[in-house]
Structures are given as structure tokens and as C-alpha cells.
Amino acid sequence: MSKFQPGADNGDLCAGSAPRSEGKSLSRVRVRVALAVLVLAVAALSSASAWPPEGSPDYLDPHRPVAQRVADLLGRMTLAEKVGQMTQAERSAVDGDPELITRLGLGSVLSGGGSGPASNTPQGWADMVDRYQERALATRLRIPLLYGVDSVHGNNNLVGATIFPHNIALGATRDPDLAREIGHITATETRAAGPQWVFAPCLCVTRDERWGRTYESFGETAELVQRMETVIDGLQGTTPQDLAGPDRVLATAKHFAGDGDTTYGTSTVGTLDRGVTITDWEHFEQVDLAPYATAVERHRIGSIMPSFSSVQWTDRPGSAPTRISGSGELLTGVLKEKIGFDGFLISDWEAIHDLPGDYPEQVRTAVNAGMDMVMEPSTAPEFAQTLIAEVEAGRVPTTRIDDAVSRILTAKFRLGLFEHPYTDRTHIDTIGSAAHRAVARRAVARSQVLLKNDHQVLPLDRNRHVYVAGVNADDLGNQAGGWTVTWQGQSGNTAFPGTTIVDGIRQHAAQVTYSADASAPMTGADVGVVVIGETPYAEFFGDVGTHDRTLGLSTADRATIHKVCGTIEVCVVLDVAGRPQVITDELPEIDAFVMSWLPGGEGAGVADPLFGSAPYTGQLPVSWPRTEQQEPVNVGDRDYDPLFPYGHGLTTHDR
């Protein structure tokens, strides 16, 4: 019997933690000052004015253990107050009526993709979150609000934030330390603007690049995803105490489990997204479940978001697809009991509406299965009313409610929200800073994968005349992709700091000619650089077969390659996309081919290895198909024969 299969003995689980570095010793004068301050602090604690005030409830005492504080608060709560904590509404539903937070005692508010304050600035975000927090603190028990956002590649809803490469690019770096550093910067820029909770990282294992969320995955193997989960440590820190810092946020592993491994054609909204993972238990455990076990055991993930998708077991005769969001076997039996997850589960956007039955049945199915908080963007009052009725009718046990609320309150205590509910703006001036952008640029350079380099044409000589073509060479929106200021992202998006790829090339080359459609004369050019790729998308809109999308190159990109590579002696092609594109027919006429992924704001990082100021070291995190029909193709397959194999990547050296 496998480790996490229902009925198996999972044994003891432990979570490792990284050592904390020691600070430098103080000078003798500073030691004396520190001792004097300590004496005064001890005296203050022993005075009548010490916190908490005499007679305050235990849950307000920060010196008591979290478990004791949770138990004390839970014992004071009514059913309506408990259900309020399990309810999450979207910003747009409460912005016109902030009193809704107080009336329902909401546990959380979120901003969906592209949802933000009228003043989309760090100050505007912090003021908005604090305004909502004020309404939460007006409730009887003053339980603070938890605010969630999709910081999937930086604080990407915020105009002015540092925008990092998407996860697929980070997978290409094979650099866990870099992932941790990016997670920490993301946490710093997110919490300084108000939100304390992020719906990231995506721990899906992408097994079919026709899936529109491929770029949200670190790669096609569980081992690679597990390796890059250090991003969680960057977001949350390495101990429960770290969460209360102004540079940490609660992280969310998503989407549990198997949403990158669905079968083509099983989706009702596209081809793969929100589809059915048709699998046996062994494969599911080794590929789809493993990253979440690592997130719990090694990284103490604070919350997990179950997938929209379903699972159908091939090793259970007569098995029908079962929605993950309603599977008690997986959410409670496997995740909570066998793996030992002690955080809380948050449903995806209106995900419980996809469960069978009428609304009351959907609510009780999800909650009884183990869902702790339910994301009901525009129907929070209906959810709360329905769940209260289900409990009062005996169809949802009060023990299940108490378990869910205990998990949610534990996170809020560890985040320090009861002591410091309002935004700590200590790091607000670091948002989009030069130092943070420098890390993003380094990440872009490390993520570049050199797939072909005939005659060692790369790196390029800075003294040569470079002719640059292709729309994606000069479009911040295209190179950032989806989940950037808006949900789907958009071409021409300039609402964040950054440099385009042609900007970066101009920083290196002595002479540059740029023509988006290659219509400008090419006379005198020594090197042609063609930047091809995709336009932005997110979730099911990116599925191949949806909205006329394919893995093939656009007609314009093929024409530009033929024109430039057929005219200029040395021709380099850069692909700016969230997944491999079929380039089999064009490859023979290309001297050098680089996969640039979705680099985010720092296009200059694409140019750095192109001209040798950084080496090419990236490796493919997914297998590159010869044709679209070859998908799904993954390392370890029988008759494995991709155009470029998983892990492929040529190297160069700094000049």
C-alpha cells in the first residue's frame, strides 16, 4: 500500500527549517544602550499598564500559545461568527458596502485578477485594505480580516510592482535559491501594500503544453516542482514566527491536485483546464500529489487551494469523475490526515458551484469534504446563510465548523493580525525598486534556454549592427503575459516598471535597427534578431483549441522569420511564450534559437546572455514537441522522441 493512499500508515511527519543567521555583535556603547532599554522594558511589563490589560480575554494575549488563544476565541464565538470566518467575498462586492464585512463578520476579502482600488498605487492599496480592516475590527470580537491576492509573479495586481518571470521560466533556472529570493521580494512588496495572503505558488505538474496554465507550472516532473518549492520559504519564512514580519505573507499551494495532468478534451470550458485527471493511484501519488506533500512536510505551507478539476480512477472499476473540491477522500483523508496538513483549505473562484446538486448540497458537500474557507466572490451572504442552515439542520457537524475556524484563526494569530491588524508600510518604498528589479533581471537571464547555436554565433559581438524584428521585441505586456495588472494580461500593457527586449539590446549593441514587421531596410545589418511568441492569456482562454489558439507560430511570426533569416547572414530567433511552440519547419533556417519564456518586466535580462554579459545556463523544464499532435510528451514516455528533450540547454560563457 502506498504512503498516502487512504488506509495507509503515514508515520511521523516533520517539517524542516533553515538555520537563522546571526547578526553582527554590537559595539560596547550599543550594548550598554540595549541593556538600558531592556531594563526599562522589563519594568514596563511588570507595571499595571502591561499588555494585555487586566481582565482581557486570553485570545488577546500575545504571550499565550497560539493553540490556547484559538481555543479561547472559538469558545466565545456564535455559529454565525464562525461561519463568517469561513466566508470570503471579492473586493467589488464589499467596496460599495463595506458594512457587509461587519454584518457577516467576514473572515476574508480577496482581489481577483485585475481587481484593485481606484487609486492603483501602493498607498491606494494599503488604504483600501486598512479601510476594510476597520470594518472587521468593528465586530463584537474584533477578529481581523485576511486579505488575499494572486501574487503569482510578483505583486502582479499592483501597478508599479516588480514583475518577475512566470514559474515556467524559474523552472528553467533550476535555482532554488533564486526562487526563494523572488518569493521574499514578492512577499515584501505584497504585504507593504496591505494584503497578507497570496494565492501562490502553483505546484501543478504540467503534462500537456496545450494547457493554458502551463506557464504557471515549474515543469513537467514532480521532482523539478519540488525542487523549486523554496519559493514558499521566501513567501512565508521558515518558522511560524516569521509570518508576523512585515516582509512575509501566508502562501497558498495550488491547485490540489492533478490540474496539470488532465486529459485533453475532458474540459467543459476548453480542452484541458478544469478537466478530468484520468489516472491510477500510483501515478497520481508520484506525479500529482508529491509536490503538495513536500509543501506540507518540508515548507509548512499555510493554505492550499483545491483544483477545479476532477479525478477518475482507472484502477477502480466503474469509477466516475469526482470533483476535487468535493472529495472528502482527498481533502481530508489524504491531505489532512495522511499528509498531515494543518493549515486551511480555500476553494477556488466559485468552485463549489461546479459540484453536483442544488446550492445547499454544494455547500455541505464542500465543507464536509474538508473545505475550510469558501471563495464566494459575489454571493457571500447567500453562502453564510446556507451554511448556517445546514449546520442547524444537522447536515454539517459543528465539529467540522470548529475545525475549519480553528485552522483559519491559527493563520491569523501567526500572521500577527490581532496585534497589528493594519498595514505595516515599512517596506512600501521598496516596491518596484532598482534592487528588486535587478533580481528580476538576473532571473530572466538565468531562465534563458539556448536550444540551438550553430557555428557558435552566440554570444553576439557588441560592435555588430543588429536588426531586430517582431512585435514581441517591444511589448512589455506580451513579455509579462497573463496575471499582470489584469487577469488575462494585455498587449501594450505598460502599467509596471520594466524594459522591453529591444531596450535591453540597445544597452549592449553599438547599432540597432528595430522594425516590428521587418519592413525597414536590412542593408548593412550583420545580425538579425527575430522575437516571436504569444500574446497574453490566463487559465482556460489559453488552452489550445480555445479562442483559435494553437501551439503553432502565428502567420506573422513565420513570415518575419523567413524574411529576416533569408536576408541577413546570421539569424537569431527568441521565443517569448508561456510554453513551447512548434518550430520544427523553421528551425533549419535559424542559426541560433533561444526560449525566452515570459520574462516579465525585465526584458533587458533576455539581452544579457545574448551579448555575453551573462552565460546561457537554462535547461528545458518541459519536453519540446515536434508537432502539436505529439502532445502530451513527457520525459520517461515510451517512444520518447521530442524535438528537444526535457533538460536540454546549451551553455556559453561570459565574455
Side-chain angles (χ1 to χ4, degrees):
M1 186 174 286
S2 64
K3 184 178 181 183
F4 298 126
Q5 194 165 6
D9 180 7
N10 191 32
D12 294 329
L13 297 175
C14 61
S17 60
R20 303 289 296 273
S21 61
E22 297 293 335
K24 296 181 179 179
S25 62
L26 297 170
S27 66
R28 291 180 179 177
V29 173
R30 293 176 65 194
V31 168
R32 293 191 189 103
V33 172
L35 288 172
V37 171
L38 180 61
V39 170
L40 290 173
V42 171
L45 286 172
S46 63
S47 70
S49 60
W51 180 262
E54 187 176 353
S56 294
D58 287 354
Y59 78 87
L60 290 179
D61 186 351
H63 303 106
R64 295 185 182 276
V66 169
Q68 184 177 341
R69 298 178 75 183
V70 169
D72 179 68
L73 178 52
L74 190 69
R76 299 171 186 271
M77 297 174 71
T78 66
L79 174 60
E81 288 169 332
K82 293 175 182 178
V83 168
Q85 288 301 299
M86 298 174 65
T87 307
Q88 184 185 64
E90 212 278 331
R91 178 206 63 82
S92 59
V94 303
D95 198 57
D97 181 20
E99 290 297 324
L100 180 68
I101 298 172
T102 311
R103 290 197 304 274
L104 294 181
L106 285 180
S108 179
V109 172
L110 83 147
S111 280
S115 177
S119 175
N120 194 334
T121 63
Q123 186 76 29
W125 272 89
D127 289 346
M128 177 189 70
V129 173
D130 286 353
R131 186 168 65 251
Y132 297 157
Q133 192 67 275
E134 183 179 10
R135 301 318 311 151
L137 297 178
T139 56
R140 181 177 71 93
L141 295 171
R142 294 179 56 83
I143 302 176
L145 194 72
L146 190 56
Y147 201 97
V149 291
D150 288 286
S151 293
V152 299
H153 64 140
N155 187 4
N156 46 259
N157 267 10
L158 170 62
V159 171
T162 306
I163 301 298
F164 291 97
H166 274 289
N167 283 353
I168 195 74
L170 299 186
T173 71
R174 302 298 203 279
D175 190 339
D177 291 334
L178 180 60
R180 182 186 298 107
E181 187 175 10
I182 289 171
H184 192 192
I185 292 173
T186 298
T188 300
E189 295 200 7
T190 300
R191 193 146 188 183
Q196 320 94 352
W197 181 20
V198 299
F199 307 131
C202 183
L203 301 185
C204 48
V205 181
T206 178
R207 304 290 289 177
D208 189 326
E209 276 54 73
R210 293 172 293 185
W211 184 42
R213 304 190 79 153
T214 292
Y215 65 80
E216 294 188 54
S217 171
F218 290 111
E220 72 180 38
T221 68
E223 292 77 14
L224 177 55
V225 174
Q226 290 168 304
R227 181 177 180 182
M228 303 305 291
E229 287 183 35
T230 49
V231 67
I232 299 171
D233 298 336
L235 292 167
Q236 295 190 160
T238 56
T239 71
Q241 292 73 32
D242 290 343
L243 271 178
D247 58 342
R248 302 294 182 182
V249 291
L250 191 74
T252 307
K254 64 182 188 185
H255 306 85
F256 179 87
D259 65 334
D261 199 13
T262 55
T263 299
Y264 187 84
T266 59
S267 170
T268 58
V269 296
T271 58
L272 283 154
D273 197 43
R274 309 189 187 189
V276 182
T277 303
I278 302 174
T279 181
D280 59 37
W281 178 263
E282 182 180 5
H283 173 90
F284 185 79
E285 181 179 37
Q286 293 176 355
V287 174
D288 303 313
L289 187 61
Y292 299 93
T294 299
V296 171
E297 297 172 5
R298 190 179 304 163
H299 302 287
R300 297 191 181 97
I301 191 74
S303 67
I304 292 177
M305 182 181 291
S307 175
F308 276 114
S309 64
S310 304
V311 62
Q312 182 174 5
W313 304 109
T314 58
D315 51 356
R316 298 182 188 178
S319 172
T322 300
R323 292 277 182 183
I324 301 292
S325 292
S327 173
E329 175 187 16
L330 292 177
L331 301 188
T332 297
V334 173
L335 183 54
K336 291 182 176 181
E337 294 178 356
K338 291 298 176 183
I339 296 179
F341 174 58
D342 62 0
F344 69 92
L345 295 176
I346 170 70
S347 67
D348 210 329
W349 185 281
E350 295 184 341
I352 71 167
H353 296 210
D354 291 340
L355 296 175
D358 58 15
Y359 191 59
E361 183 178 355
Q362 292 168 340
V363 169
R364 67 174 174 266
T365 297
V367 174
N368 284 337
M371 200 73 73
D372 301 306
M373 184 183 287
V374 178
M375 188 186 294
E376 289 289 84
S378 58
T379 55
E382 291 83 352
F383 168 77
Q385 181 180 17
T386 301
L387 182 52
I388 289 171
E390 290 298 299
V391 175
E392 290 177 339
R395 290 186 286 267
V396 175
T398 56
T399 53
R400 174 76 272 274
I401 300 298
D402 287 351
D403 173 60
V405 178
S406 295
R407 292 167 179 268
I408 295 165
L409 293 178
T410 296
K412 292 185 176 185
F413 281 119
R414 286 178 175 168
L415 283 161
L417 296 182
F418 283 82
E419 289 70 54
H420 304 288
Y422 294 110
T423 303
D424 185 332
R425 309 185 191 205
T426 300
H427 300 298
I428 201 166
D429 291 337
T430 70
I431 294 174
S433 66
H436 289 179
R437 290 179 59 190
V439 175
R441 181 170 180 167
R442 174 160 51 89
V444 174
R446 291 292 306 275
S447 72
Q448 303 297 291
V449 181
L450 180 58
L451 296 170
K452 180 180 180 181
N453 192 23
D454 285 358
H455 312 298
Q456 303 299 303
V457 298
L458 295 184
L460 298 177
D461 188 331
R462 299 167 185 261
N463 296 314
R464 305 184 79 181
H465 178 186
V466 180
Y467 185 99
V468 182
V471 172
N472 278 9
D474 195 32
D475 195 310
L476 274 178
N478 286 358
Q479 70 187 41
W483 298 106
T484 311
V485 183
T486 63
W487 171 39
Q488 291 287 318
Q490 60 187 36
S491 298
N493 187 353
T494 59
F496 52 95
T499 54
T500 66
I501 293 170
V502 73
D503 289 337
I505 291 174
R506 289 181 178 128
Q507 292 177 16
H508 291 279
Q511 186 177 359
V512 177
T513 298
Y514 174 61
S515 177
D517 60 357
S519 61
M522 302 180 195
T523 305
D526 301 305
V527 178
V529 176
V530 181
V531 187
I532 63 171
E534 297 183 303
T535 54
Y537 56 83
E539 296 190 59
F540 51 87
F541 290 113
D543 276 11
V544 170
T546 302
H547 290 229
D548 298 322
R549 291 195 178 276
T550 72
L551 289 184
L553 303 182
S554 69
T555 300
D557 280 347
R558 287 198 303 269
T560 302
I561 291 173
H562 294 323
K563 187 173 184 180
V564 175
C565 294
T567 304
I568 302 177
E569 183 178 357
V570 176
C571 187
V572 179
V573 173
L574 311 177
D575 194 2
V576 175
R579 53 193 168 188
Q581 295 187 283
V582 176
I583 197 166
T584 307
D585 293 341
E586 289 74 21
L587 198 60
E589 59 184 314
I590 298 170
D591 295 300
F593 179 51
V594 179
M595 186 55 180
S596 296
W597 309 109
L598 297 174
E602 301 307 314
V606 175
D608 289 340
L610 190 65
F611 288 89
S613 64
Y616 280 106
T617 58
Q619 297 174 278
L620 281 180
V622 293
S623 303
W624 197 290
R626 295 180 179 276
T627 65
E628 187 172 306
Q629 292 69 35
Q630 193 180 31
E631 287 290 345
V633 55
N634 296 287
V635 64
D637 289 349
R638 183 180 302 174
D639 302 322
Y640 182 66
D641 185 32
L643 182 65
F644 298 112
Y646 172 84
H648 178 66
L650 305 175
T651 58
T652 60
H653 301 284
D654 296 353
R655 282 196 183 278

